[in-house]
Amino acid sequence: MRGPAAPTSPGAWDARSEALLGAPALTPSGGPDPRAAATGLDLRAPDSPDPTEATVPGDPAGPADPADPVDAAGPAGIAPIPEAAAPTRQEPGAALPAGPPGDRPDAPVGGTAWRTEQAAAARADARAPSPGASAAPRPRRGHADPVKVLMHRHRDLCERAVDPLEIAAGLEAQGFTDRTAARFRHRDVFSLAEELYARVPRGQGTPAPTAGPEPDRTPWALAVLAPGAVAGLAGIALTFAYGPLRTALAALAVPALGAALVLAVRRGPFRVPAGGTVPAARLWTLWLLAYAVGGDGLLAQVLSGGPDGVWDLDPGPLLGLALAVAPAAWCAHLFARRARLRIAESRGLADFAAATRPLLLGTVALQLLALAALLAATGFSPGALALGALLLLARLLTVHGHPETASAALAAAGAAEALALASVLAARVPLPGFDGLAAPVRALVDSWGPGAVPTLVCGAAALGLLAHATGALARASAHATP
């Protein structure tokens, strides 16, 4: 069959062509159909009676004409759908029969087209949800609370903190910066710490920790006076004693002064938590103090070919350093107190660092002025002044959490002083090239005297610690412990 109603491609039949499948004949038998006038085909419904055709009882559709190409083979040779295999409409709610994936029970038999009501049923089935599909809606993906996540991660720090400043110091010690706080929707670490402190759970009747009253300064204020008192008494006794008595008093004064120094550094602003010191730092400190007493005299005798007997000892620098322990402790106390106040006043790590660096420099300058005044009364020595600055910076770094750096500086200064003495002694070895080992030390002593060695060595170490302290002690984490 050819004509406007016939399909022009092997695709699906359209609505006009589907009517041809049920047409019994192409010859019109009734009234003219407007579509038949245009196409020359009979497009009546298949159940329309045709008076020109005889019917057989029991066969309402009438006999099939073998010469009719539409009834015999269908359009374009497509076989008609057998009545037994005619598809029935599948209800939208009915279960689909088992079969190969992708098959539909109401799909047309191969080679036939979809009927209009079958296509509508298929569209309804496609829109209906499958029985096995989950009716739960897709969960909405919201934004997690970043501060809450951080609070759970640092729960111990938040629960132990007495105030938000300790939380800020702890976060800064773990690498938090103001830029990191911006990722948690805060402008700086301090505002983030304030929210963490406010949101930390303290239920079950446990009150929030509160800062207690300021501890009494009397115990450590008396303890820091002990080194100066012991050194002063020992100096007076050695002045009026002679012979064996003088030697005995000196032997007693050394351990007494050592005990007084231990008492002073274990209380007050010089106190360090357990495990916060390096044991080697104590040995290097003793060596530096011993060199301040007798190192210059020993170096002078070694350079002159000695030592010949007992060399000169100068207790003046040691007495001045012992008396300077008290002002150094008060300077350290003021520095720690003012630094913690700067944390409360600052609104950013950069602001705190900018306010703390001048405070540190002022603390060191104040201590150097006090030490210079005490050394002027006991016997001024530039080497003792440099040693006092080195010991103060080393103790400040140790107290505020940097003991390794302080110990390294003390070790470098002590090793340099020992190397100066060893180089002069090694120059006496009768081997080629060894006589030049003492040339640097000899030139320095000839120009500036024996005191130039500890001044240069301790001064360089103190400058190195000061440069490091301006960065390390300007961080909020260095002042976490009150």
mmCIF file of all heavy atoms in Angstrom, residues 295-341:
data_model
loop_
_atom_site.group_PDB
_atom_site.id
_atom_site.type_symbol
_atom_site.label_atom_id
_atom_site.label_comp_id
_atom_site.label_asym_id
_atom_site.label_seq_id
_atom_site.Cartn_x
_atom_site.Cartn_y
_atom_site.Cartn_z
ATOM 1 N N GLY A 295 88.398 32.648 84.528
ATOM 2 C CA GLY A 295 88.794 32.391 83.146
ATOM 3 C C GLY A 295 89.769 33.393 82.588
ATOM 4 O O GLY A 295 90.718 33.019 81.872
ATOM 5 N N ASP A 296 89.590 34.647 82.915
ATOM 6 C CA ASP A 296 90.499 35.671 82.385
ATOM 7 C C ASP A 296 91.913 35.482 82.932
ATOM 8 O O ASP A 296 92.914 35.597 82.190
ATOM 9 C CB ASP A 296 89.982 37.062 82.738
ATOM 10 C CG ASP A 296 88.679 37.381 82.027
ATOM 11 O OD1 ASP A 296 88.328 36.657 81.072
ATOM 12 O OD2 ASP A 296 88.000 38.352 82.430
ATOM 13 N N GLY A 297 92.024 35.189 84.218
ATOM 14 C CA GLY A 297 93.361 34.964 84.800
ATOM 15 C C GLY A 297 94.018 33.733 84.222
ATOM 16 O O GLY A 297 95.236 33.732 83.944
ATOM 17 N N LEU A 298 93.262 32.678 84.002
ATOM 18 C CA LEU A 298 93.838 31.462 83.428
ATOM 19 C C LEU A 298 94.307 31.703 81.998
ATOM 20 O O LEU A 298 95.388 31.227 81.590
ATOM 21 C CB LEU A 298 92.802 30.341 83.466
ATOM 22 C CG LEU A 298 93.202 29.004 82.839
ATOM 23 C CD1 LEU A 298 94.431 28.423 83.540
ATOM 24 C CD2 LEU A 298 92.038 28.018 82.873
ATOM 25 N N LEU A 299 93.535 32.412 81.211
ATOM 26 C CA LEU A 299 93.925 32.685 79.829
ATOM 27 C C LEU A 299 95.192 33.538 79.771
ATOM 28 O O LEU A 299 96.084 33.294 78.918
ATOM 29 C CB LEU A 299 92.782 33.389 79.089
ATOM 30 C CG LEU A 299 93.015 33.731 77.621
ATOM 31 C CD1 LEU A 299 93.285 32.466 76.804
ATOM 32 C CD2 LEU A 299 91.830 34.505 77.041
ATOM 33 N N ALA A 300 95.299 34.501 80.666
ATOM 34 C CA ALA A 300 96.499 35.337 80.679
ATOM 35 C C ALA A 300 97.735 34.509 81.024
ATOM 36 O O ALA A 300 98.806 34.691 80.414
ATOM 37 C CB ALA A 300 96.322 36.476 81.678
ATOM 38 N N GLN A 301 97.629 33.595 81.947
ATOM 39 C CA GLN A 301 98.784 32.764 82.297
ATOM 40 C C GLN A 301 99.111 31.766 81.185
ATOM 41 O O GLN A 301 100.287 31.478 80.931
ATOM 42 C CB GLN A 301 98.504 32.013 83.609
ATOM 43 C CG GLN A 301 98.594 32.890 84.843
ATOM 44 C CD GLN A 301 99.051 32.142 86.049
ATOM 45 O OE1 GLN A 301 99.524 31.005 85.949
ATOM 46 N NE2 GLN A 301 98.949 32.770 87.215
ATOM 47 N N VAL A 302 98.111 31.239 80.525
ATOM 48 C CA VAL A 302 98.376 30.289 79.438
ATOM 49 C C VAL A 302 99.094 30.985 78.284
ATOM 50 O O VAL A 302 100.012 30.422 77.658
ATOM 51 C CB VAL A 302 97.060 29.649 78.970
ATOM 52 C CG1 VAL A 302 97.271 28.856 77.692
ATOM 53 C CG2 VAL A 302 96.497 28.734 80.049
ATOM 54 N N LEU A 303 98.681 32.206 78.010
ATOM 55 C CA LEU A 303 99.349 32.935 76.934
ATOM 56 C C LEU A 303 100.791 33.294 77.291
ATOM 57 O O LEU A 303 101.642 33.429 76.395
ATOM 58 C CB LEU A 303 98.568 34.215 76.608
ATOM 59 C CG LEU A 303 97.229 34.014 75.879
ATOM 60 C CD1 LEU A 303 96.473 35.337 75.785
ATOM 61 C CD2 LEU A 303 97.458 33.433 74.489
ATOM 62 N N SER A 304 101.066 33.444 78.570
ATOM 63 C CA SER A 304 102.436 33.781 79.002
ATOM 64 C C SER A 304 103.288 32.557 79.283
ATOM 65 O O SER A 304 104.410 32.683 79.777
ATOM 66 C CB SER A 304 102.383 34.659 80.258
ATOM 67 O OG SER A 304 101.755 33.950 81.327
ATOM 68 N N GLY A 305 102.806 31.378 78.985
ATOM 69 C CA GLY A 305 103.574 30.150 79.168
ATOM 70 C C GLY A 305 103.178 29.340 80.369
ATOM 71 O O GLY A 305 103.743 28.273 80.613
ATOM 72 N N GLY A 306 102.213 29.791 81.162
ATOM 73 C CA GLY A 306 101.791 29.080 82.361
ATOM 74 C C GLY A 306 100.774 27.987 82.037
ATOM 75 O O GLY A 306 100.723 27.490 80.889
ATOM 76 N N PRO A 307 99.984 27.602 83.036
ATOM 77 C CA PRO A 307 99.902 28.305 84.318
ATOM 78 C C PRO A 307 100.997 27.924 85.311
ATOM 79 O O PRO A 307 101.393 26.772 85.383
ATOM 80 C CB PRO A 307 98.534 27.898 84.834
ATOM 81 C CG PRO A 307 98.271 26.544 84.232
ATOM 82 C CD PRO A 307 98.946 26.548 82.896
ATOM 83 N N ASP A 308 101.408 28.895 86.043
ATOM 84 C CA ASP A 308 102.411 28.701 87.079
ATOM 85 C C ASP A 308 101.732 28.889 88.427
ATOM 86 O O ASP A 308 101.571 29.995 88.943
ATOM 87 C CB ASP A 308 103.554 29.713 86.922
ATOM 88 C CG ASP A 308 104.266 29.545 85.587
ATOM 89 O OD1 ASP A 308 104.348 28.399 85.108
ATOM 90 O OD2 ASP A 308 104.676 30.561 85.013
ATOM 91 N N GLY A 309 101.297 27.786 89.002
ATOM 92 C CA GLY A 309 100.619 27.843 90.287
ATOM 93 C C GLY A 309 99.186 28.311 90.149
ATOM 94 O O GLY A 309 98.512 28.101 89.119
ATOM 95 N N VAL A 310 98.698 28.955 91.190
ATOM 96 C CA VAL A 310 97.302 29.410 91.216
ATOM 97 C C VAL A 310 97.213 30.744 90.510
ATOM 98 O O VAL A 310 97.982 31.662 90.775
ATOM 99 C CB VAL A 310 96.811 29.544 92.672
ATOM 100 C CG1 VAL A 310 95.364 30.011 92.685
ATOM 101 C CG2 VAL A 310 96.938 28.206 93.403
ATOM 102 N N TRP A 311 96.280 30.850 89.584
ATOM 103 C CA TRP A 311 96.090 32.103 88.854
ATOM 104 C C TRP A 311 95.099 32.999 89.610
ATOM 105 O O TRP A 311 94.424 32.568 90.562
ATOM 106 C CB TRP A 311 95.597 31.833 87.440
ATOM 107 C CG TRP A 311 94.303 31.062 87.356
ATOM 108 C CD1 TRP A 311 93.063 31.561 87.308
ATOM 109 C CD2 TRP A 311 94.149 29.647 87.315
ATOM 110 N NE1 TRP A 311 92.132 30.580 87.241
ATOM 111 C CE2 TRP A 311 92.784 29.365 87.239
ATOM 112 C CE3 TRP A 311 95.071 28.556 87.332
ATOM 113 C CZ2 TRP A 311 92.282 28.077 87.193
ATOM 114 C CZ3 TRP A 311 94.571 27.291 87.284
ATOM 115 C CH2 TRP A 311 93.190 27.046 87.205
ATOM 116 N N ASP A 312 95.001 34.206 89.175
ATOM 117 C CA ASP A 312 94.171 35.192 89.863
ATOM 118 C C ASP A 312 92.689 34.878 89.665
ATOM 119 O O ASP A 312 92.241 34.558 88.562
ATOM 120 C CB ASP A 312 94.467 36.596 89.331
ATOM 121 C CG ASP A 312 95.885 37.029 89.629
ATOM 122 O OD1 ASP A 312 96.464 36.510 90.606
ATOM 123 O OD2 ASP A 312 96.416 37.875 88.875
ATOM 124 N N LEU A 313 91.941 35.002 90.753
ATOM 125 C CA LEU A 313 90.486 34.818 90.736
ATOM 126 C C LEU A 313 89.826 36.157 91.013
ATOM 127 O O LEU A 313 90.255 36.916 91.880
ATOM 128 C CB LEU A 313 90.050 33.784 91.777
ATOM 129 C CG LEU A 313 90.636 32.377 91.633
ATOM 130 C CD1 LEU A 313 90.134 31.484 92.761
ATOM 131 C CD2 LEU A 313 90.280 31.772 90.288
ATOM 132 N N ASP A 314 88.730 36.409 90.311
ATOM 133 C CA ASP A 314 88.013 37.677 90.463
ATOM 134 C C ASP A 314 86.556 37.371 90.808
ATOM 135 O O ASP A 314 85.741 37.080 89.917
ATOM 136 C CB ASP A 314 88.104 38.496 89.174
ATOM 137 C CG ASP A 314 87.483 39.871 89.318
ATOM 138 O OD1 ASP A 314 87.139 40.254 90.454
ATOM 139 O OD2 ASP A 314 87.331 40.558 88.296
ATOM 140 N N PRO A 315 86.180 37.401 92.084
ATOM 141 C CA PRO A 315 84.785 37.104 92.462
ATOM 142 C C PRO A 315 83.823 38.248 92.196
ATOM 143 O O PRO A 315 82.603 38.075 92.377
ATOM 144 C CB PRO A 315 84.885 36.815 93.957
ATOM 145 C CG PRO A 315 86.045 37.605 94.416
ATOM 146 C CD PRO A 315 87.013 37.640 93.268
ATOM 147 N N GLY A 316 84.311 39.390 91.787
ATOM 148 C CA GLY A 316 83.430 40.535 91.568
ATOM 149 C C GLY A 316 82.341 40.282 90.544
ATOM 150 O O GLY A 316 81.146 40.576 90.799
ATOM 151 N N PRO A 317 82.650 39.766 89.361
ATOM 152 C CA PRO A 317 81.569 39.483 88.388
ATOM 153 C C PRO A 317 80.534 38.503 88.922
ATOM 154 O O PRO A 317 79.324 38.678 88.674
ATOM 155 C CB PRO A 317 82.320 38.919 87.178
ATOM 156 C CG PRO A 317 83.692 39.499 87.284
ATOM 157 C CD PRO A 317 83.976 39.564 88.762
ATOM 158 N N LEU A 318 80.986 37.477 89.642
ATOM 159 C CA LEU A 318 80.026 36.507 90.181
ATOM 160 C C LEU A 318 79.125 37.157 91.223
ATOM 161 O O LEU A 318 77.914 36.866 91.276
ATOM 162 C CB LEU A 318 80.772 35.323 90.783
ATOM 163 C CG LEU A 318 79.901 34.190 91.330
ATOM 164 C CD1 LEU A 318 79.030 33.607 90.228
ATOM 165 C CD2 LEU A 318 80.778 33.118 91.966
ATOM 166 N N LEU A 319 79.694 38.030 92.057
ATOM 167 C CA LEU A 319 78.875 38.722 93.045
ATOM 168 C C LEU A 319 77.849 39.630 92.372
ATOM 169 O O LEU A 319 76.671 39.676 92.785
ATOM 170 C CB LEU A 319 79.788 39.542 93.967
ATOM 171 C CG LEU A 319 79.088 40.382 95.041
ATOM 172 C CD1 LEU A 319 78.261 39.495 95.953
ATOM 173 C CD2 LEU A 319 80.121 41.181 95.836
ATOM 174 N N GLY A 320 78.257 40.332 91.338
ATOM 175 C CA GLY A 320 77.311 41.193 90.629
ATOM 176 C C GLY A 320 76.203 40.388 89.954
ATOM 177 O O GLY A 320 75.027 40.782 89.974
ATOM 178 N N LEU A 321 76.553 39.253 89.377
ATOM 179 C CA LEU A 321 75.538 38.409 88.738
ATOM 180 C C LEU A 321 74.570 37.824 89.763
ATOM 181 O O LEU A 321 73.368 37.700 89.495
ATOM 182 C CB LEU A 321 76.214 37.288 87.948
ATOM 183 C CG LEU A 321 76.956 37.715 86.681
ATOM 184 C CD1 LEU A 321 77.738 36.537 86.104
ATOM 185 C CD2 LEU A 321 75.987 38.260 85.636
ATOM 186 N N ALA A 322 75.079 37.457 90.938
ATOM 187 C CA ALA A 322 74.202 36.919 91.980
ATOM 188 C C ALA A 322 73.242 37.984 92.492
ATOM 189 O O ALA A 322 72.054 37.708 92.733
ATOM 190 C CB ALA A 322 75.045 36.365 93.130
ATOM 191 N N LEU A 323 73.747 39.193 92.670
ATOM 192 C CA LEU A 323 72.864 40.277 93.103
ATOM 193 C C LEU A 323 71.837 40.648 92.038
ATOM 194 O O LEU A 323 70.756 41.163 92.362
ATOM 195 C CB LEU A 323 73.699 41.509 93.462
ATOM 196 C CG LEU A 323 74.593 41.384 94.697
ATOM 197 C CD1 LEU A 323 75.483 42.608 94.839
ATOM 198 C CD2 LEU A 323 73.760 41.158 95.954
ATOM 199 N N ALA A 324 72.142 40.401 90.789
ATOM 200 C CA ALA A 324 71.238 40.759 89.692
ATOM 201 C C ALA A 324 70.128 39.740 89.474
ATOM 202 O O ALA A 324 69.257 39.961 88.612
ATOM 203 C CB ALA A 324 72.037 40.918 88.399
ATOM 204 N N VAL A 325 70.134 38.632 90.250
ATOM 205 C CA VAL A 325 69.059 37.648 90.083
ATOM 206 C C VAL A 325 67.712 38.253 90.470
ATOM 207 O O VAL A 325 66.693 38.022 89.806
ATOM 208 C CB VAL A 325 69.369 36.393 90.921
ATOM 209 C CG1 VAL A 325 68.172 35.442 90.923
ATOM 210 C CG2 VAL A 325 70.592 35.678 90.364
ATOM 211 N N ALA A 326 67.677 39.040 91.521
ATOM 212 C CA ALA A 326 66.408 39.629 91.976
ATOM 213 C C ALA A 326 65.829 40.585 90.938
ATOM 214 O O ALA A 326 64.643 40.443 90.557
ATOM 215 C CB ALA A 326 66.613 40.314 93.327
ATOM 216 N N PRO A 327 66.578 41.578 90.445
ATOM 217 C CA PRO A 327 65.984 42.436 89.404
ATOM 218 C C PRO A 327 65.639 41.673 88.131
ATOM 219 O O PRO A 327 64.663 42.013 87.439
ATOM 220 C CB PRO A 327 67.052 43.503 89.159
ATOM 221 C CG PRO A 327 68.300 42.965 89.720
ATOM 222 C CD PRO A 327 67.914 42.066 90.834
ATOM 223 N N ALA A 328 66.422 40.641 87.805
ATOM 224 C CA ALA A 328 66.083 39.846 86.613
ATOM 225 C C ALA A 328 64.758 39.123 86.797
ATOM 226 O O ALA A 328 63.951 39.031 85.847
ATOM 227 C CB ALA A 328 67.200 38.852 86.327
ATOM 228 N N ALA A 329 64.505 38.615 88.006
ATOM 229 C CA ALA A 329 63.230 37.936 88.261
ATOM 230 C C ALA A 329 62.057 38.902 88.150
ATOM 231 O O ALA A 329 61.002 38.574 87.587
ATOM 232 C CB ALA A 329 63.257 37.271 89.634
ATOM 233 N N TRP A 330 62.227 40.119 88.667
ATOM 234 C CA TRP A 330 61.149 41.086 88.564
ATOM 235 C C TRP A 330 60.931 41.535 87.122
ATOM 236 O O TRP A 330 59.788 41.764 86.703
ATOM 237 C CB TRP A 330 61.444 42.292 89.457
ATOM 238 C CG TRP A 330 61.145 42.020 90.901
ATOM 239 C CD1 TRP A 330 62.033 41.721 91.889
ATOM 240 C CD2 TRP A 330 59.850 42.010 91.505
ATOM 241 N NE1 TRP A 330 61.387 41.527 93.081
ATOM 242 C CE2 TRP A 330 60.032 41.701 92.875
ATOM 243 C CE3 TRP A 330 58.563 42.236 91.043
ATOM 244 C CZ2 TRP A 330 58.987 41.610 93.768
ATOM 245 C CZ3 TRP A 330 57.503 42.140 91.938
ATOM 246 C CH2 TRP A 330 57.713 41.834 93.280
ATOM 247 N N CYS A 331 62.004 41.654 86.365
ATOM 248 C CA CYS A 331 61.846 41.995 84.939
ATOM 249 C C CYS A 331 61.106 40.894 84.196
ATOM 250 O O CYS A 331 60.232 41.172 83.352
ATOM 251 C CB CYS A 331 63.216 42.239 84.315
ATOM 252 S SG CYS A 331 64.014 43.772 84.828
ATOM 253 N N ALA A 332 61.442 39.632 84.496
ATOM 254 C CA ALA A 332 60.737 38.523 83.852
ATOM 255 C C ALA A 332 59.271 38.489 84.258
ATOM 256 O O ALA A 332 58.385 38.183 83.437
ATOM 257 C CB ALA A 332 61.415 37.203 84.207
ATOM 258 N N HIS A 333 58.990 38.816 85.513
ATOM 259 C CA HIS A 333 57.601 38.845 85.976
ATOM 260 C C HIS A 333 56.806 39.945 85.257
ATOM 261 O O HIS A 333 55.672 39.716 84.815
ATOM 262 C CB HIS A 333 57.581 39.067 87.490
ATOM 263 C CG HIS A 333 56.205 39.322 88.039
ATOM 264 N ND1 HIS A 333 55.248 38.337 88.125
ATOM 265 C CD2 HIS A 333 55.626 40.463 88.508
ATOM 266 C CE1 HIS A 333 54.136 38.845 88.629
ATOM 267 N NE2 HIS A 333 54.342 40.132 88.876
ATOM 268 N N LEU A 334 57.395 41.107 85.153
ATOM 269 C CA LEU A 334 56.709 42.201 84.466
ATOM 270 C C LEU A 334 56.496 41.880 82.992
ATOM 271 O O LEU A 334 55.435 42.206 82.410
ATOM 272 C CB LEU A 334 57.512 43.494 84.624
ATOM 273 C CG LEU A 334 57.575 44.083 86.033
ATOM 274 C CD1 LEU A 334 58.469 45.315 86.045
ATOM 275 C CD2 LEU A 334 56.174 44.418 86.542
ATOM 276 N N PHE A 335 57.480 41.251 82.377
ATOM 277 C CA PHE A 335 57.327 40.898 80.961
ATOM 278 C C PHE A 335 56.177 39.908 80.759
ATOM 279 O O PHE A 335 55.340 40.082 79.855
ATOM 280 C CB PHE A 335 58.635 40.306 80.442
ATOM 281 C CG PHE A 335 58.521 39.720 79.053
ATOM 282 C CD1 PHE A 335 58.375 40.543 77.952
ATOM 283 C CD2 PHE A 335 58.548 38.348 78.862
ATOM 284 C CE1 PHE A 335 58.257 40.011 76.678
ATOM 285 C CE2 PHE A 335 58.437 37.809 77.598
ATOM 286 C CZ PHE A 335 58.291 38.640 76.503
ATOM 287 N N ALA A 336 56.122 38.862 81.592
ATOM 288 C CA ALA A 336 55.052 37.872 81.445
ATOM 289 C C ALA A 336 53.690 38.490 81.729
ATOM 290 O O ALA A 336 52.704 38.211 81.026
ATOM 291 C CB ALA A 336 55.310 36.699 82.378
ATOM 292 N N ARG A 337 53.607 39.327 82.726
ATOM 293 C CA ARG A 337 52.323 39.933 83.073
ATOM 294 C C ARG A 337 51.846 40.890 81.985
ATOM 295 O O ARG A 337 50.677 40.857 81.574
ATOM 296 C CB ARG A 337 52.459 40.660 84.409
ATOM 297 C CG ARG A 337 51.161 41.282 84.901
ATOM 298 C CD ARG A 337 51.369 41.934 86.257
ATOM 299 N NE ARG A 337 50.150 42.588 86.723
ATOM 300 C CZ ARG A 337 49.169 41.968 87.356
ATOM 301 N NH1 ARG A 337 49.267 40.666 87.599
ATOM 302 N NH2 ARG A 337 48.082 42.621 87.744
ATOM 303 N N ARG A 338 52.725 41.739 81.515
ATOM 304 C CA ARG A 338 52.346 42.684 80.470
ATOM 305 C C ARG A 338 52.021 41.974 79.155
ATOM 306 O O ARG A 338 51.147 42.411 78.407
ATOM 307 C CB ARG A 338 53.469 43.705 80.263
ATOM 308 C CG ARG A 338 53.734 44.604 81.450
ATOM 309 C CD ARG A 338 52.516 45.424 81.827
ATOM 310 N NE ARG A 338 52.069 46.262 80.729
ATOM 311 C CZ ARG A 338 50.956 46.992 80.753
ATOM 312 N NH1 ARG A 338 50.165 46.950 81.817
ATOM 313 N NH2 ARG A 338 50.631 47.733 79.726
ATOM 314 N N ALA A 339 52.708 40.891 78.891
ATOM 315 C CA ALA A 339 52.419 40.148 77.661
ATOM 316 C C ALA A 339 51.024 39.548 77.700
ATOM 317 O O ALA A 339 50.302 39.561 76.690
ATOM 318 C CB ALA A 339 53.467 39.067 77.440
ATOM 319 N N ARG A 340 50.613 39.040 78.846
ATOM 320 C CA ARG A 340 49.264 38.480 78.941
ATOM 321 C C ARG A 340 48.205 39.569 78.841
ATOM 322 O O ARG A 340 47.111 39.349 78.315
ATOM 323 C CB ARG A 340 49.111 37.698 80.242
ATOM 324 C CG ARG A 340 49.859 36.368 80.235
ATOM 325 C CD ARG A 340 49.555 35.566 81.475
ATOM 326 N NE ARG A 340 48.142 35.265 81.592
ATOM 327 C CZ ARG A 340 47.515 34.274 80.957
ATOM 328 N NH1 ARG A 340 48.203 33.493 80.140
ATOM 329 N NH2 ARG A 340 46.225 34.068 81.125
ATOM 330 N N LEU A 341 48.512 40.746 79.349
ATOM 331 C CA LEU A 341 47.574 41.855 79.168
ATOM 332 C C LEU A 341 47.494 42.273 77.704
ATOM 333 O O LEU A 341 46.428 42.667 77.222
ATOM 334 C CB LEU A 341 48.001 43.037 80.040
ATOM 335 C CG LEU A 341 47.875 42.830 81.558
ATOM 336 C CD1 LEU A 341 48.385 44.059 82.286
ATOM 337 C CD2 LEU A 341 46.437 42.526 81.950
#
